[in-house]
């Protein structure tokens, strides 16, 4: 009995010779039963379209698998990153690093903020010319007020004493002004350090 390969060779030869592939011609050439010839003929015509359809299915399936794999990889990467960030945050909170960062940020913002400043030379000149009145530039207002009131009171009191009062004022006033010229820059330095009026010797 003829094999399938031999049947295919016969069919190809008949096509090459231009012989019609009719059932009687095939039955004569191959001596095969009618149902076998019909089945093998159908298989000869089917493989190409079936193979093409199978390849198309495989291509579509492959693309689908690739898309699913890429989505899965992206999801896994995102999950790993979220887990890593969460773990890092927990570790930093346990070690107190976040609080240190917050303090550093606050310090940097405070340092960047413009604080009022006092010029030491202006403070010295104000104390030299105005005496205790020059302390109002940077000293605490209460201290400057008390010193100024005492200064004015002593000067007025000495003015009512003839001769002795004038001589005392001649020596006393320059000494007071020189002392205030020294205290003014000291208060200005303290003001710049603290950022506000404050005592020279903090409690």
């Amino acid at each position: 009995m003829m094999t399938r390969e031999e049947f295919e060779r016969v069919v190809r030869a008949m096509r090459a010779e231009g012989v019609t592939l009719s059932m009687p011609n095939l039955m004569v050439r191959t001596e095969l039963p009618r149902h076998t010839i019909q089945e093998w003929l159908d298989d000869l015509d089917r493989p190409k379209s079936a193979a093409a359809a199978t390849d198309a299915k495989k291509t579509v399936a492959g693309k689908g698998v690739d898309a699913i794999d890429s989505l899965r990889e992206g999801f896994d990467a995102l999950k790993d990153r979220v887990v890593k960030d969460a773990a890092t945050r927990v570790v930093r909170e346990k070690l107190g690093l976040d609080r240190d960062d917050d303090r550093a940020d606050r310090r940097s913002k405070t340092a960047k903020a413009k604080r009022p400043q006092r010029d030491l030379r202006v403070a010295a000149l104000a104390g030299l010319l105005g005496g205790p009145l020059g302390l109002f530039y940077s000293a605490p207002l209460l201290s400057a007020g008390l010193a100024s009131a005492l200064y004015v009171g002593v000067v007025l009191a000495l003015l009512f004493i003839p001769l002795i009062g004038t001589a005392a004022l001649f020596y006393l006033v320059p000494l007071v002004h020189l002392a205030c010229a020294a205290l003014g820059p000291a208060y200005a330095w303290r003001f710049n350090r603290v950022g506000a009026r404050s005592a020279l010797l903090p409690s």
Side-chain angles (χ1 to χ4, degrees):
M1 183 177 177
M2 182 179 289
T3 63
R4 181 164 182 156
E5 289 77 8
E6 292 173 343
F7 175 78
E8 291 177 359
R9 281 197 297 271
V10 170
V11 170
R12 284 196 295 270
M14 290 175 66
R15 285 176 176 168
E17 294 171 4
V19 179
T20 305
L21 294 177
S22 61
M23 188 58 69
N25 290 339
L26 287 169
M27 291 179 69
V28 171
R29 291 279 186 108
T30 61
E31 299 180 354
L32 290 171
R34 184 185 184 94
H35 67 88
T36 302
I37 293 172
Q38 188 64 47
E39 182 182 348
W40 286 0
L41 269 179
D42 293 341
D43 289 343
L44 277 176
D45 293 335
R46 191 183 306 136
K48 291 182 181 178
S49 58
T54 303
D55 292 341
K57 288 180 181 178
K58 287 182 179 178
T59 303
V60 172
K63 289 181 180 178
V65 170
D66 292 341
I68 291 173
D69 289 341
S70 63
L71 286 174
R72 186 180 294 114
E73 290 175 0
F75 178 75
D76 291 340
L78 179 63
K79 182 178 68 175
D80 293 341
R81 188 169 60 194
V82 169
V83 170
K84 184 177 179 181
D85 291 344
T88 303
R89 193 177 302 111
V90 169
V91 170
R92 289 179 66 85
E93 288 176 359
K94 292 296 183 183
L95 295 177
L97 297 178
D98 286 341
R99 291 190 293 273
D100 294 340
D101 292 343
D102 293 340
R103 292 194 197 102
D105 290 341
R106 285 197 295 272
R107 283 197 297 267
S108 64
K109 289 178 181 177
T110 304
K112 288 179 182 177
K114 185 69 175 176
R115 293 195 305 181
Q117 296 290 307
R118 294 290 187 266
D119 192 339
L120 302 184
R121 293 169 296 182
V122 174
L125 184 61
L128 183 62
L129 297 178
L133 296 174
L135 297 180
F136 280 103
Y137 179 67
S138 55
L141 296 178
L142 180 61
S143 301
L146 290 175
S148 299
L150 180 62
Y151 174 74
V152 171
V154 170
V155 168
L156 291 176
L158 291 175
L159 285 176
F160 287 103
I161 301 175
L163 295 177
I164 298 174
T166 304
L169 285 176
F170 181 75
Y171 289 105
L172 180 64
V173 169
L175 291 177
V176 171
H177 281 244
L178 287 175
C180 291
L183 285 173
Y187 275 115
W189 174 83
R190 184 67 181 166
F191 184 100
N192 295 339
R193 184 177 179 84
V194 176
R197 300 173 184 271
S198 61
L200 286 179
L201 301 175
S203 58

